[in-house]
Amino acid sequence: MHTPSSLAATAAARPALCLCLVAPSGSGKSTTAQLIRNWLLARGRSVEVVKLAEPLYRLQAMFYAEAGVRLSPETQDQKLLESVATHLRAIHARALADGFLRRLEASRADVVINDDLRDDRVDWPALREAGFLVVKVAARAEVRAQRLAERQDLSIVKDSPLDLQMARIEADYVLTNNGSLAALEAQVDGLCRLLVGGRVDGHAGKHTDERAGLAA
């Protein structure tokens, strides 16, 4: 059981800024996370990317190892990952969320970024309680489909129910990623200047900065 002093110590140990990037596969979440990370590192902030699905990736690797198939770290079998997540949540609904929060508490970074939030029923309330802001990355369906084809994942779940769950997660900021990397970099620059330049306490609500290409 947490005492008031232990809760205060946990809150004090948490990063000053927590962001989660939310979007369907192929929208460019990982690229956006890397751009944000690079921007912050260049300005002296320490940054850590903490994934909710880290246990799922480990289990995926175990499945393929047992089958005698080598799997590169970046490769995803989306059907397997979603199936494993469903079974894991059936055993314990907060399994992924609680594991994530433990890794969050262990982080000593100034900024923590999550780029694989998809569940709005259990995982998102847990991250919201931990003070995360939501950055949604929007991309047209045809753009996402082309990127997924180029990624050559082992399997792709089209029209995943998780897409509907992600749609219900309210955004604090929205970036669009239908064009060039330079266009996305410009939006990330505007977002980071907005976040780092001002004070961010918990939920800042929706924000719009037209000059930076940000929309609520």
Side-chain angles (χ1 to χ4, degrees), residues 172-200:
D172 295 292
Y173 304 91
V174 178
L175 307 179
T176 57
N177 186 26
N178 292 312
S180 66
L181 180 61
L184 181 60
E185 286 178 328
Q187 292 179 76
V188 166
D189 178 76
L191 173 65
C192 290
R193 290 180 186 280
L194 186 64
L195 291 174
V196 174
R199 183 180 176 185
V200 179

Side-chain angles (χ1 to χ4, degrees), residues 35-54:
L35 291 174
I36 294 173
R37 180 177 180 273
N38 291 345
W39 193 98
L40 292 165
L41 288 175
R43 288 156 180 82
R45 270 72 172 187
S46 58
V47 187
E48 184 177 0
V49 177
V50 181
K51 292 184 178 290
L52 269 158
E54 181 180 309

Side-chain angles (χ1 to χ4, degrees), residues 56-65 68-77 80-81 152-155:
L56 303 182
Y57 302 136
R58 291 201 306 268
L59 291 168
Q60 173 185 255
M62 291 171 63
F63 268 83
Y64 274 82
V69 178
R70 295 189 63 181
L71 195 65
S72 60
E74 67 277 5
T75 303
Q76 294 185 15
D77 184 334
L80 174 61
L81 290 170
Q152 296 182 338
D153 283 339
L154 295 167
S155 70

